Amino acid sequence: ATHLTENGEQEKPLRDYSEALEMWSNFQAKTQSLSQSLSSQLRLILTPTQSTKLSGAFRTGKRLNIKKIIPYIASSYKRDKIWMRRAVPSKRSYQILLCVDDSSSMADNESHASASSSSSSSGRLALESLVMVSRALASLEAGQVGVLGFGTDVFVAHSLTDPPFASSSHDAGARVLQRFTFRQDGTDMVRLLRATIDHFRDARLTQAATSSGQDLWQLALILSDGLVQSRDHARLRPLLREAMEQRVMVVFIVMDDAKGKGKGHSVLELKEARFGPDGVPVIHRYLDTFPFPYYLIVHHLEDLPGALAALLRTWFAEVNS
Amino acid sequence: MDEPMVDAPGQQVKVTFTTTETDLQLPETKRQLLVPADIRRYGLSRILNSESMLDTGSIPFDFLINGSFLRTSLQDYLVANGLSLETNLTLQYVRSLIPPVYEASF
Ligand SMILES: [Mg+2]
């Protein structure tokens, strides 16, 4: 079915609705326990813990602020706010964008063996992960979840302000899965990062207008086979710095399906050949120039909850130290 | 250092090498490779012969894609067949039967 958008643009064909609905229910049933495991690990991370830091200057408190002692004496004991208190941790809320690679490298496109068995591909693993993670986040009820698709361009499959994915109705989920057909003939990661940063900037402003005193946590999870044109690696670095300055965390989850591929076909093993000025070929490991500081390689869906939670814990420890 | 490689590469395409020549098998971990999209038979031969691949010096190779010999660049092959750079091309290499011809570019 070909659709026209409001702007009259021709839209890409969609996956059949009933097929998408069946996929969502199957994936949700299949990943239910993983989803629960992820959500309980994330709840621990998101729940504000008692701050161990003592700070501030008060008339009464837990411990003396040494820096205030000299001014206290010098002022003839008038400037008496010399005590530190435990800071009250602020409540955390999140906005999470799940960015799913819709390019055709995600499908089984080994040469032009056209009979693609969608049972084993990075695309299928990405969609299963999408269902698992979005269900885990929905059950936390602590923030907003959006879904972006990317390939040669970027599209919004589920907006941050759309209602969350409910466990009872699979309609919203099915509408998201309909958008992913893995037929885009490019993987423009530069465009994705630009769109993600802009999206989060707008979302932060909207959030700030409606609530206050909350510690907003913005996270982009990129679900992709990791195959990006190497010449884009250098162009991604300034964008990743910009994301960091905006306090947007970007985690790249490399879908490296172990079932569908034979030995030696992992992105971990992938090399690239370039010719030096003397025409001599030089061979490097592809991941050596991969620009994402936080990335996970997932061979099996079961690996994802633990690995993702561990990475987010590490990151939280870093930003809060 | 931000960028360990000096020259910014051009477009790349992912290939998987296969062969039926029993004495010229690549280890499994070396069969998939990203190569410049404008590469031709000569450049592919140089890569296969290089130390980090077969380490065979200068055997001239021919390459078959879907049963026919590659006579253009990979890029041109993709365009001619309506394929994008997202395609993983399977290249079957064989010892060239044609005497090595000096090609103007590789
Ligand atoms: Mg791709």
Side-chain angles (χ1 to χ4, degrees), chain A residues 103-105 109-112 185-187 229-231 237 264-266 269 271-275 279 284 286, chain B residues 2-3 5 7 9 11-12 28-29 32-34 36 43 46-47 52-53 66 77 83-84 86-88 90:
Chain A
S103 72
S104 60
S105 64
N109 68 346
E110 192 84 9
S111 239
H112 4 241
D185 55 11
T187 313
Q229 289 287 329
S230 299
R231 65 174 179 181
R237 286 195 177 87
H265 283 260
S266 166
E269 308 277 9
K271 315 275 194 308
E272 62 177 300
R274 294 184 192 181
F275 290 92
H284 299 269
Y286 169 70
Chain B
D2 242 17
E3 182 58 36
M5 273 166 251
D7 56 323
Q11 289 187 309
Q12 291 174 315
E28 274 178 300
T29 55
Q32 55 157 6
L33 192 68
L34 294 168
R46 288 202 71 165
I47 288 173
S52 25
M53 295 294 273
N66 261 12
Y77 175 86
L83 299 167
S84 73
E86 296 281 314
T87 311
N88 182 6
T90 299

Side-chain angles (χ1 to χ4, degrees), chain A residues 11 35 72 77 145 171 177 198 229 242 274 301 306 308 317:
Chain A
E11 227 178 61
S35 203
Y72 174 56
Y77 312 103
V145 180
D171 177 67
L177 293 189
D198 294 346
Q229 289 287 329
E242 188 182 335
R274 294 184 192 181
L301 194 63
L308 183 57

Side-chain angles (χ1 to χ4, degrees), chain A residues 199-233:
Chain A
H199 213 83
F200 273 137
R201 183 177 298 125
D202 295 345
R204 191 182 305 119
L205 294 173
T206 317
Q207 171 91 2
T210 56
S211 63
S212 57
Q214 289 205 327
D215 183 6
L216 180 64
W217 180 49
Q218 292 185 319
L219 169 71
L221 296 179
I222 302 175
L223 306 173
S224 164
D225 57 13
L227 298 177
V228 181
Q229 289 287 329
S230 299
R231 65 174 179 181
D232 284 344
H233 286 184

